[in-house]
Amino acid sequence: MDKLIITGGVPLAGEVAISGAKNAALPILCASLLTAEPLRVDNLPHLNDISTMLRLLAQMGVEVTLDGPAGLVLDAGGLNNPLAPYDLVKTMRASILVLGPLVARCGEARVSLPGGCAIGARPVDQHIKGLQAMGAEVTVEAGYVHAKAKRLKGARICTDMVTVTGTENLMMAAVLADGETIIENAAREPEVVDLANCLVAMGANISGAGTDVIRIRGVERLDGAAHRIMPDRIETGTYLCAAAATGGEVRLTQTSAAYLDAVVDKLMDAGCDIVTERDAIRLKAPQRLKAVSLRTAPYPAFPTDMQAQFMAINAVADGVATIRETIFENRFMHANELMRLGADIQIEGSNAIVRGVERLEGATVMATDLRASASLVIAGLVARGETTIDRIYHLDRGYERIEEKLAKLGARVRRAH
Ligand code: EPZ
């Protein structure tokens, strides 16, 4: 299994380009299922999750052809197998995003239940409840969701909690339904808006994306389109945290601070100078960061996907911070690993109390999930001596060429097999 070996103590400096957003690309790739016309997608990140999704679509009969260094054309004209098998779904929970489009286009779908993951049980009951509200017959047996509907009907759906992929799945199911669908308590994440923009370019009739009420008026069919994936705000935030923690100065390009207000605010509270340009963001870190408390919540509040990275920052900041995780029930797996590097963290239910220490010491640690791995990378960049991070396949799911980008910023990092 690959590992990353980092020698800490170097302030990151220089410029690096941010890739397309994984969590926008995944639902947009699934949107190709909704039409027999080709969908061209650009600014796709080269990530394991993206390749898994492409394998899943290809085995359904979607033709995928390369189109430039970060572009693809997806043609679901030959879609003939509305099945998402367990062996693919178990490696990537976002596979559930094929459910809505398959029922909308083919009238049925068999999708393996994604099962839980390190950060929580992550059920999909809201996805199912919404499809049933639209008239689908849904059964769950032998670990598969089986959904059928001659044609979905528009419905008013209010999800029990804000769910990002739940909102995306139901929005895609609704675009070809008969009548109007209203999704209340909808997720407002920018990736939901990026998906909606792509669907509208394909001929869908959607309003309210980015607010908590999304209205979708069903149409008879969708056309092909060309869509450029938005920048990855979580990758952006991760590199900002790495620069902040190491006392560095960086400029991140092909991105924007537009969707990162809550994260930028916290980095400024921690003492960082941040300058935003049209499609870049610059950060200059102080000598020593100030501890910042935070509470995760749905967009536009502080994103849960940045919580682990801020725990690493607070581990070496001045003062005590309280981190409250309100989205997932088990998203503090990185705390134990950070403690192996010398961090002073106390977990009390959904709160983590982090007392900044003078210095972390390099050690061998283990990645447990995608953002936890990012937190360990940040800690390794700060720790004295060498840190080895095992099981970095987690990292490769969500960070494109991470050791290359970090090395470009001066980090001493290498991948070992
Ligand atoms: C998306 O996951 C993201 N993944 C996650 O990013 C992100 O952490 C999460 O949204 C929250 O922002 C993708 O977009 C591919 P949810 P998702 O449905 O949609 C509960 C990363 O690091 N819930 O918004 O699966 C659920 O258990 C990943 O890139 C139900 O109970 O998250 C959780 O507690 C990790 N029933 C809460 O809602 C449901 O049917 C929010 O989950 C759906 C969700």
Side-chain angles (χ1 to χ4, degrees):
M1 248 185 259
D2 280 6
K3 45 185 83 170
L4 270 194
I5 298 166
I6 300 173
T7 306
V10 178
L12 296 190
E15 186 169 300
V16 81
I18 294 296
S19 305
K22 165 177 85 78
N23 290 349
L26 290 169
I28 287 168
L29 291 174
C30 296
S32 65
L33 295 166
L34 289 163
T35 174
E37 307 299 322
L39 173 65
R40 189 181 182 297
V41 182
D42 203 0
N43 197 34
L44 267 175
H46 295 91
L47 298 170
N48 291 355
D49 271 9
I50 299 295
S51 350
T52 305
M53 181 61 86
L54 294 174
R55 270 206 310 281
L56 178 63
L57 295 172
Q59 59 92 40
M60 288 178 192
V62 178
E63 222 177 282
V64 179
T65 39
L66 289 178
D67 185 16
L72 286 177
V73 176
L74 297 107
D75 183 338
L79 173 59
N80 56 21
N81 176 29
L83 165 74
Y86 176 67
D87 61 321
L88 278 173
V89 173
K90 72 180 177 200
T91 62
M92 189 196 50
R93 325 177 14 59
S95 312
I96 193 70
L97 283 164
V98 301
L99 181 63
L102 285 176
V103 181
R105 171 87 186 285
C106 312
E108 74 161 319
R110 277 169 54 74
V111 177
S112 165
L113 274 171
C117 73
I119 63 179
R122 303 185 71 184
V124 290
D125 55 296
Q126 301 298 306
H127 301 236
I128 292 172
K129 174 185 141 184
L131 285 174
Q132 287 170 327
M134 296 169 78
E137 233 181 274
V138 184
T139 53
V140 178
E141 59 199 42
Y144 277 77
V145 179
H146 192 184
K148 281 170 80 165
K150 255 174 79 53
R151 185 179 183 190
L152 292 167
K153 280 188 286 307
R156 195 183 68 74
I157 301 162
C158 183
T159 53
D160 297 352
M161 78 294 293
V162 173
T163 158
V164 174
T165 50
T167 301
E168 292 166 343
N169 230 338
L170 296 174
M171 189 160 69
M172 289 193 278
V175 294
L176 295 175
D178 178 12
E180 181 179 53
T181 297
I182 300 170
I183 304 174
E184 294 179 332
N185 201 18
R188 298 164 55 187
E189 270 68 5
E191 294 76 19
V192 175
V193 178
D194 207 32
L195 170 63
N197 292 340
C198 177
L199 292 169
V200 167
M202 295 166 72
N205 182 333
I206 300 173
S207 60
T211 75
D212 60 352
V213 180
I214 302 178
R215 288 171 186 279
I216 305 108
R217 185 167 287 289
V219 296
E220 288 307 312
R221 56 186 290 283
L222 291 188
D223 304 320
H227 183 82
R228 180 178 174 77
I229 302 291
M230 67 176 281
D232 193 316
R233 63 190 170 101
I234 305 299
E235 185 193 21
T236 305
T238 302
Y239 282 100
L240 290 176
C241 286
T246 56
E249 182 167 359
V250 297
R251 181 168 183 265
L252 307 180
T253 60
Q254 294 175 24
T255 186
S256 98
Y259 311 115
L260 273 174
D261 289 352
V263 173
V264 168
D265 288 351
K266 290 294 175 189
L267 286 167
M268 291 168 82
D269 292 349
C272 298
D273 284 335
I274 293 186
V275 174
T276 58
E277 302 167 27
R278 199 177 57 77
D279 60 355
I281 181 166
R282 273 185 286 134
L283 176 141
K284 184 172 178 1
Q287 256 318 39
R288 186 155 166 85
L289 293 165
K290 290 196 284 297
V292 278
S293 293
L294 60 95
R295 180 182 183 283
T296 67
Y299 190 87
F302 190 92
T304 174
D305 290 350
M306 284 299 306
Q307 177 258 105
Q309 297 90 317
F310 262 77
M311 194 177 285
I313 280 193
N314 280 318
V316 290
D318 218 3
V320 184
T322 301
I323 292 180
R324 186 169 175 70
E325 172 59 52
T326 71
I327 305 287
F328 291 110
E329 65 268 28
N330 188 31
R331 203 170 196 177
F332 285 146
M333 308 274 279
H334 39 286
N336 290 329
E337 298 304 307
L338 289 171
M339 287 186 238
R340 287 178 49 72
L341 299 172
D344 177 352
I345 304 168
Q346 248 170 308
I347 304 294
E348 289 165 12
S350 53
N351 286 329
I353 319 294
V354 189
R355 288 177 178 74
V357 294
E358 246 339 277
R359 166 186 302 288
L360 297 176
E361 296 295 335
T364 297
V365 288
M366 187 178 77
T368 50
D369 59 87
L370 171 54
R371 306 304 173 182
S373 328
S375 159
L376 298 177
V377 168
I378 293 171
L381 290 168
V382 175
R384 176 162 53 186
E386 195 168 88
T387 296
T388 299
I389 305 175
D390 278 337
R391 302 193 179 179
I392 57 160
Y393 59 84
H394 290 292
L395 261 181
D396 295 332
R397 296 187 46 188
Y399 291 96
E400 183 175 3
R401 295 179 289 114
I402 188 161
E403 67 271 25
E404 247 179 73
K405 292 193 182 186
L406 287 173
K408 193 160 180 291
L409 294 172
R412 286 176 295 191
V413 54
R414 63 187 171 83
R415 182 179 289 250
H417 303 289

